[in-house]
Tab-separated table of all heavy atoms in Angstrom:
chain	number	residue	atom	x	y	z
A	30	LEU	N	2.166	3.525	-4.150
A	30	LEU	CA	2.223	4.957	-3.871
A	30	LEU	C	3.582	5.473	-4.326
A	30	LEU	O	4.617	4.925	-3.923
A	30	LEU	CB	2.018	5.229	-2.376
A	30	LEU	CG	0.714	4.714	-1.760
A	30	LEU	CD1	0.736	4.914	-0.241
A	30	LEU	CD2	-0.489	5.433	-2.370
A	31	ASN	N	3.588	6.525	-5.172
A	31	ASN	CA	4.833	7.006	-5.767
A	31	ASN	C	4.972	8.515	-5.623
A	31	ASN	O	3.993	9.257	-5.708
A	31	ASN	CB	4.867	6.691	-7.272
A	31	ASN	CG	4.657	5.228	-7.566
A	31	ASN	OD1	5.545	4.438	-7.380
A	31	ASN	ND2	3.455	4.874	-8.036
A	32	TRP	N	6.228	8.933	-5.464
A	32	TRP	CA	6.585	10.360	-5.551
A	32	TRP	C	7.756	10.465	-6.517
A	32	TRP	O	8.834	9.917	-6.261
A	32	TRP	CB	6.947	10.893	-4.169
A	32	TRP	CG	7.553	12.280	-4.190
A	32	TRP	CD1	7.312	13.276	-5.093
A	32	TRP	CD2	8.504	12.810	-3.269
A	32	TRP	NE1	8.046	14.395	-4.794
A	32	TRP	CE2	8.784	14.142	-3.679
A	32	TRP	CE3	9.129	12.296	-2.129
A	32	TRP	CZ2	9.686	14.951	-2.988
A	32	TRP	CZ3	10.018	13.106	-1.443
A	32	TRP	CH2	10.292	14.416	-1.866
A	33	GLN	N	7.535	11.146	-7.628
A	33	GLN	CA	8.575	11.349	-8.626
A	33	GLN	C	8.979	12.813	-8.631
A	33	GLN	O	8.108	13.698	-8.650
A	33	GLN	CB	8.083	10.933	-10.013
A	33	GLN	CG	7.663	9.468	-10.085
A	33	GLN	CD	7.117	9.099	-11.445
A	33	GLN	OE1	7.770	9.279	-12.471
A	33	GLN	NE2	5.896	8.574	-11.478
A	34	ALA	N	10.288	13.044	-8.610
A	34	ALA	CA	10.794	14.409	-8.493
A	34	ALA	C	11.937	14.642	-9.470
A	34	ALA	O	12.835	13.804	-9.596
A	34	ALA	CB	11.270	14.677	-7.064
A	35	GLN	N	11.902	15.756	-10.176
A	35	GLN	CA	12.982	16.191	-11.065
A	35	GLN	C	13.686	17.353	-10.377
A	35	GLN	O	13.278	18.508	-10.475
A	35	GLN	CB	12.416	16.621	-12.421
A	35	GLN	CG	13.460	16.937	-13.473
A	35	GLN	CD	14.142	15.695	-14.016
A	35	GLN	OE1	13.502	14.704	-14.313
A	35	GLN	NE2	15.461	15.755	-14.151
A	36	TRP	N	14.763	17.050	-9.661
A	36	TRP	CA	15.397	18.052	-8.818
A	36	TRP	C	16.203	19.056	-9.623
A	36	TRP	O	16.230	20.253	-9.297
A	36	TRP	CB	16.297	17.377	-7.784
A	36	TRP	CG	15.520	16.486	-6.856
A	36	TRP	CD1	15.395	15.134	-6.929
A	36	TRP	CD2	14.730	16.898	-5.741
A	36	TRP	NE1	14.585	14.658	-5.926
A	36	TRP	CE2	14.159	15.718	-5.166
A	36	TRP	CE3	14.444	18.125	-5.155
A	36	TRP	CZ2	13.334	15.760	-4.059
A	36	TRP	CZ3	13.618	18.168	-4.042
A	36	TRP	CH2	13.079	17.002	-3.504
A	37	THR	N	16.883	18.600	-10.636
A	37	THR	CA	17.630	19.469	-11.542
A	37	THR	C	17.427	18.959	-12.964
A	37	THR	O	16.742	17.956	-13.193
A	37	THR	CB	19.137	19.476	-11.224
A	37	THR	OG1	19.697	18.194	-11.583
A	37	THR	CG2	19.398	19.750	-9.747
A	38	GLU	N	18.043	19.625	-13.912
A	38	GLU	CA	17.957	19.181	-15.305
A	38	GLU	C	18.500	17.769	-15.467
A	38	GLU	O	18.061	17.010	-16.326
A	38	GLU	CB	18.734	20.148	-16.200
A	38	GLU	CG	18.748	19.758	-17.668
A	38	GLU	CD	19.628	20.688	-18.483
A	38	GLU	OE1	20.155	21.675	-17.917
A	38	GLU	OE2	19.803	20.418	-19.694
A	39	HIS	N	19.455	17.381	-14.606
A	39	HIS	CA	20.144	16.106	-14.769
A	39	HIS	C	19.747	15.043	-13.739
A	39	HIS	O	19.975	13.856	-13.985
A	39	HIS	CB	21.664	16.326	-14.673
A	39	HIS	CG	22.183	17.342	-15.638
A	39	HIS	ND1	22.186	17.141	-16.996
A	39	HIS	CD2	22.717	18.582	-15.424
A	39	HIS	CE1	22.700	18.199	-17.603
A	39	HIS	NE2	23.030	19.096	-16.677
A	40	TYR	N	19.166	15.448	-12.618
A	40	TYR	CA	18.975	14.517	-11.508
A	40	TYR	C	17.500	14.384	-11.162
A	40	TYR	O	16.804	15.378	-10.944
A	40	TYR	CB	19.749	15.008	-10.280
A	40	TYR	CG	19.527	14.191	-9.027
A	40	TYR	CD1	19.726	12.812	-9.007
A	40	TYR	CD2	19.105	14.812	-7.844
A	40	TYR	CE1	19.521	12.065	-7.845
A	40	TYR	CE2	18.906	14.084	-6.676
A	40	TYR	CZ	19.111	12.710	-6.695
A	40	TYR	OH	18.903	11.981	-5.553
A	41	SER	N	17.016	13.124	-11.094
A	41	SER	CA	15.627	12.853	-10.727
A	41	SER	C	15.583	11.669	-9.763
A	41	SER	O	16.509	10.849	-9.700
A	41	SER	CB	14.782	12.548	-11.967
A	41	SER	OG	15.269	11.394	-12.634
A	42	THR	N	14.491	11.578	-9.008
A	42	THR	CA	14.320	10.483	-8.048
A	42	THR	C	12.900	9.933	-8.134
A	42	THR	O	11.977	10.594	-8.613
A	42	THR	CB	14.579	10.945	-6.601
A	42	THR	OG1	13.637	11.968	-6.256
A	42	THR	CG2	15.992	11.471	-6.440
A	43	LYS	N	12.753	8.719	-7.628
A	43	LYS	CA	11.443	8.107	-7.459
A	43	LYS	C	11.438	7.397	-6.123
A	43	LYS	O	12.312	6.579	-5.836
A	43	LYS	CB	11.149	7.111	-8.581
A	43	LYS	CG	9.801	6.407	-8.426
A	43	LYS	CD	9.550	5.434	-9.573
A	43	LYS	CE	8.211	4.740	-9.409
A	43	LYS	NZ	7.932	3.807	-10.528
A	44	LEU	N	10.446	7.715	-5.306
A	44	LEU	CA	10.269	7.070	-4.014
A	44	LEU	C	8.946	6.314	-4.069
A	44	LEU	O	7.896	6.906	-4.359
A	44	LEU	CB	10.244	8.111	-2.895
A	44	LEU	CG	10.194	7.588	-1.457
A	44	LEU	CD1	11.443	6.773	-1.133
A	44	LEU	CD2	10.045	8.747	-0.473
A	45	GLN	N	8.994	5.008	-3.806
A	45	GLN	CA	7.797	4.178	-3.956
A	45	GLN	C	7.617	3.247	-2.769
A	45	GLN	O	8.565	2.638	-2.291
A	45	GLN	CB	7.897	3.333	-5.233
A	45	GLN	CG	6.686	2.422	-5.474
A	45	GLN	CD	6.879	1.483	-6.641
A	45	GLN	OE1	7.841	0.728	-6.687
A	45	GLN	NE2	5.979	1.540	-7.607
A	46	PHE	N	6.374	3.178	-2.329
A	46	PHE	CA	5.959	2.136	-1.392
A	46	PHE	C	4.878	1.325	-2.080
A	46	PHE	O	3.931	1.869	-2.673
A	46	PHE	CB	5.402	2.722	-0.092
A	46	PHE	CG	4.625	1.714	0.707
A	46	PHE	CD1	5.284	0.699	1.396
A	46	PHE	CD2	3.230	1.744	0.741
A	46	PHE	CE1	4.571	-0.256	2.109
A	46	PHE	CE2	2.508	0.802	1.459
A	46	PHE	CZ	3.183	-0.202	2.153
A	47	SER	N	4.983	0.003	-2.028
A	47	SER	CA	3.974	-0.837	-2.667
A	47	SER	C	3.661	-2.043	-1.792
A	47	SER	O	4.469	-2.469	-0.971
A	47	SER	CB	4.437	-1.292	-4.050
A	47	SER	OG	5.596	-2.105	-3.962
A	48	GLN	N	2.475	-2.560	-2.006
A	48	GLN	CA	2.007	-3.713	-1.251
A	48	GLN	C	1.154	-4.576	-2.178
A	48	GLN	O	0.355	-4.072	-2.960
A	48	GLN	CB	1.171	-3.255	-0.056
A	48	GLN	CG	0.583	-4.372	0.781
A	48	GLN	CD	-0.181	-3.836	1.981
A	48	GLN	OE1	0.266	-2.937	2.656
A	48	GLN	NE2	-1.367	-4.385	2.231
A	49	SER	N	1.347	-5.896	-2.110
A	49	SER	CA	0.538	-6.799	-2.922
A	49	SER	C	0.136	-8.012	-2.097
A	49	SER	O	0.768	-8.339	-1.085
A	49	SER	CB	1.297	-7.245	-4.179
A	49	SER	OG	2.428	-8.022	-3.836
A	50	ARG	N	-0.925	-8.673	-2.570
A	50	ARG	CA	-1.423	-9.871	-1.886
A	50	ARG	C	-1.792	-10.924	-2.920
A	50	ARG	O	-2.341	-10.613	-3.981
A	50	ARG	CB	-2.649	-9.542	-1.039
A	50	ARG	CG	-3.160	-10.727	-0.217
A	50	ARG	CD	-4.491	-10.441	0.435
A	50	ARG	NE	-4.901	-11.532	1.327
A	50	ARG	CZ	-6.126	-11.672	1.827
A	50	ARG	NH1	-7.064	-10.779	1.546
A	50	ARG	NH2	-6.424	-12.688	2.619
A	51	ASP	N	-1.478	-12.177	-2.619
A	51	ASP	CA	-1.877	-13.314	-3.435
A	51	ASP	C	-2.517	-14.336	-2.494
A	51	ASP	O	-1.821	-14.962	-1.685
A	51	ASP	CB	-0.670	-13.911	-4.156
A	51	ASP	CG	-1.044	-15.074	-5.058
A	51	ASP	OD1	-1.422	-16.157	-4.550
A	51	ASP	OD2	-0.945	-14.920	-6.278
A	52	TYR	N	-3.851	-14.481	-2.600
A	52	TYR	CA	-4.595	-15.378	-1.717
A	52	TYR	C	-5.231	-16.478	-2.551
A	52	TYR	O	-5.832	-16.226	-3.597
A	52	TYR	CB	-5.678	-14.610	-0.963
A	52	TYR	CG	-6.570	-15.483	-0.110
A	52	TYR	CD1	-6.180	-15.869	1.168
A	52	TYR	CD2	-7.807	-15.929	-0.588
A	52	TYR	CE1	-7.005	-16.675	1.953
A	52	TYR	CE2	-8.626	-16.725	0.190
A	52	TYR	CZ	-8.224	-17.103	1.457
A	52	TYR	OH	-9.031	-17.896	2.230
A	53	TYR	N	-5.115	-17.722	-2.078
A	53	TYR	CA	-5.683	-18.866	-2.798
A	53	TYR	C	-6.342	-19.801	-1.796
A	53	TYR	O	-5.798	-20.069	-0.722
A	53	TYR	CB	-4.576	-19.607	-3.552
A	53	TYR	CG	-5.045	-20.848	-4.265
A	53	TYR	CD1	-5.770	-20.769	-5.443
A	53	TYR	CD2	-4.735	-22.110	-3.759
A	53	TYR	CE1	-6.179	-21.920	-6.107
A	53	TYR	CE2	-5.143	-23.260	-4.412
A	53	TYR	CZ	-5.867	-23.158	-5.586
A	53	TYR	OH	-6.274	-24.292	-6.236
A	54	GLU	N	-7.543	-20.278	-2.179
A	54	GLU	CA	-8.291	-21.184	-1.302
A	54	GLU	C	-9.038	-22.198	-2.159
A	54	GLU	O	-9.497	-21.876	-3.262
A	54	GLU	CB	-9.290	-20.382	-0.466
A	54	GLU	CG	-10.153	-21.228	0.458
A	54	GLU	CD	-11.179	-20.413	1.216
A	54	GLU	OE1	-11.130	-19.166	1.140
A	54	GLU	OE2	-12.048	-21.031	1.879
A	55	THR	N	-9.143	-23.415	-1.677
A	55	THR	CA	-9.948	-24.435	-2.352
A	55	THR	C	-11.087	-24.876	-1.446
A	55	THR	O	-10.940	-24.946	-0.220
A	55	THR	CB	-9.104	-25.670	-2.738
A	55	THR	OG1	-8.535	-26.244	-1.554
A	55	THR	CG2	-7.997	-25.293	-3.703
A	56	ARG	N	-12.245	-25.179	-2.075
A	56	ARG	CA	-13.419	-25.678	-1.372
A	56	ARG	C	-14.033	-26.799	-2.204
A	56	ARG	O	-13.981	-26.741	-3.438
A	56	ARG	CB	-14.455	-24.567	-1.183
A	56	ARG	CG	-13.985	-23.401	-0.328
A	56	ARG	CD	-15.065	-22.315	-0.295
A	56	ARG	NE	-14.622	-21.151	0.485
A	56	ARG	CZ	-15.316	-20.003	0.538
A	56	ARG	NH1	-16.463	-19.889	-0.140
A	56	ARG	NH2	-14.875	-18.993	1.245
A	57	PRO	N	-14.637	-27.809	-1.578
A	57	PRO	CA	-14.813	-28.015	-0.131
A	57	PRO	C	-13.568	-28.562	0.564
A	57	PRO	O	-13.506	-28.569	1.783
A	57	PRO	CB	-15.950	-29.023	-0.077
A	57	PRO	CG	-15.794	-29.825	-1.313
A	57	PRO	CD	-15.318	-28.864	-2.361
A	58	SER	N	-12.586	-29.053	-0.206
A	58	SER	CA	-11.354	-29.509	0.445
A	58	SER	C	-10.650	-28.302	1.042
A	58	SER	O	-10.422	-27.301	0.360
A	58	SER	CB	-10.450	-30.205	-0.568
A	58	SER	OG	-10.190	-29.352	-1.666
A	59	PRO	N	-10.314	-28.341	2.317
A	59	PRO	CA	-9.794	-27.142	2.996
A	59	PRO	C	-8.308	-26.909	2.721
A	59	PRO	O	-7.449	-27.654	3.177
A	59	PRO	CB	-10.039	-27.453	4.477
A	59	PRO	CG	-9.954	-28.950	4.552
A	59	PRO	CD	-10.458	-29.478	3.238
A	60	TYR	N	-8.028	-25.885	1.937
A	60	TYR	CA	-6.642	-25.475	1.723
A	60	TYR	C	-6.610	-23.971	1.526
A	60	TYR	O	-7.413	-23.414	0.765
A	60	TYR	CB	-6.046	-26.173	0.494
A	60	TYR	CG	-4.628	-25.715	0.203
A	60	TYR	CD1	-3.561	-26.202	0.936
A	60	TYR	CD2	-4.388	-24.760	-0.779
A	60	TYR	CE1	-2.275	-25.759	0.691
A	60	TYR	CE2	-3.102	-24.317	-1.028
A	60	TYR	CZ	-2.054	-24.806	-0.286
A	60	TYR	OH	-0.779	-24.361	-0.532
A	61	GLN	N	-5.680	-23.293	2.204
A	61	GLN	CA	-5.532	-21.847	2.092
A	61	GLN	C	-4.057	-21.488	2.077
A	61	GLN	O	-3.252	-22.088	2.795
A	61	GLN	CB	-6.200	-21.128	3.270
A	61	GLN	CG	-7.701	-21.205	3.305
A	61	GLN	CD	-8.263	-20.409	4.482
A	61	GLN	OE1	-7.540	-20.005	5.393
A	61	GLN	NE2	-9.570	-20.195	4.464
A	62	THR	N	-3.726	-20.507	1.263
A	62	THR	CA	-2.383	-19.942	1.292
A	62	THR	C	-2.482	-18.449	1.012
A	62	THR	O	-3.250	-18.022	0.144
A	62	THR	CB	-1.457	-20.625	0.272
A	62	THR	OG1	-0.160	-20.032	0.342
A	62	THR	CG2	-1.986	-20.518	-1.144
A	63	ASP	N	-1.743	-17.660	1.749
A	63	ASP	CA	-1.865	-16.205	1.686
A	63	ASP	C	-0.469	-15.588	1.712
A	63	ASP	O	0.269	-15.731	2.697
A	63	ASP	CB	-2.697	-15.713	2.873
A	63	ASP	CG	-3.125	-14.259	2.731
A	63	ASP	OD1	-2.767	-13.621	1.721
A	63	ASP	OD2	-3.822	-13.749	3.636
A	64	THR	N	-0.094	-14.927	0.618
A	64	THR	CA	1.194	-14.236	0.519
A	64	THR	C	0.969	-12.738	0.541
A	64	THR	O	0.128	-12.214	-0.197
A	64	THR	CB	1.932	-14.604	-0.777
A	64	THR	OG1	2.250	-15.995	-0.764
A	64	THR	CG2	3.216	-13.801	-0.922
A	65	ARG	N	1.725	-12.050	1.370
A	65	ARG	CA	1.695	-10.582	1.404
A	65	ARG	C	3.117	-10.069	1.211
A	65	ARG	O	4.053	-10.555	1.851
A	65	ARG	CB	1.106	-10.070	2.722
A	65	ARG	CG	-0.366	-10.452	2.901
A	65	ARG	CD	-0.913	-9.990	4.238
A	65	ARG	NE	-2.270	-10.446	4.445
A	65	ARG	CZ	-3.370	-9.740	4.147
A	65	ARG	NH1	-3.230	-8.538	3.626
A	65	ARG	NH2	-4.570	-10.233	4.375
A	66	LEU	N	3.242	-9.093	0.318
A	66	LEU	CA	4.564	-8.577	-0.047
A	66	LEU	C	4.560	-7.058	0.107
A	66	LEU	O	3.660	-6.378	-0.403
A	66	LEU	CB	4.892	-8.979	-1.487
A	66	LEU	CG	6.300	-8.766	-2.028
A	66	LEU	CD1	6.567	-9.729	-3.185
A	66	LEU	CD2	6.509	-7.329	-2.531
């Protein structure tokens, strides 16, 4: 999610919130790992 703003001719900002997930599982051997950022 981003908000980009050009406040003046010279000055700009970007405000960002982000979220990601990396999930891995093996079957039938039981293994799981879950990363959330």
Side-chain angles (χ1 to χ4, degrees):
L30 302 173
N31 305 284
W32 170 30
Q33 300 177 56
Q35 187 73 44
W36 298 100
T37 70
E38 178 185 356
H39 305 293
Y40 175 54
S41 61
T42 61
K43 178 180 180 179
L44 186 63
Q45 180 187 56
F46 164 74
S47 63
Q48 178 177 316
S49 65
R50 184 189 186 193
D51 182 291
Y52 175 83
Y53 177 75
E54 178 183 352
T55 60
R56 297 176 182 172
S58 56
Y60 177 78
Q61 292 182 347
T62 180
D63 192 359
T64 296
R65 295 177 185 266
L66 190 156

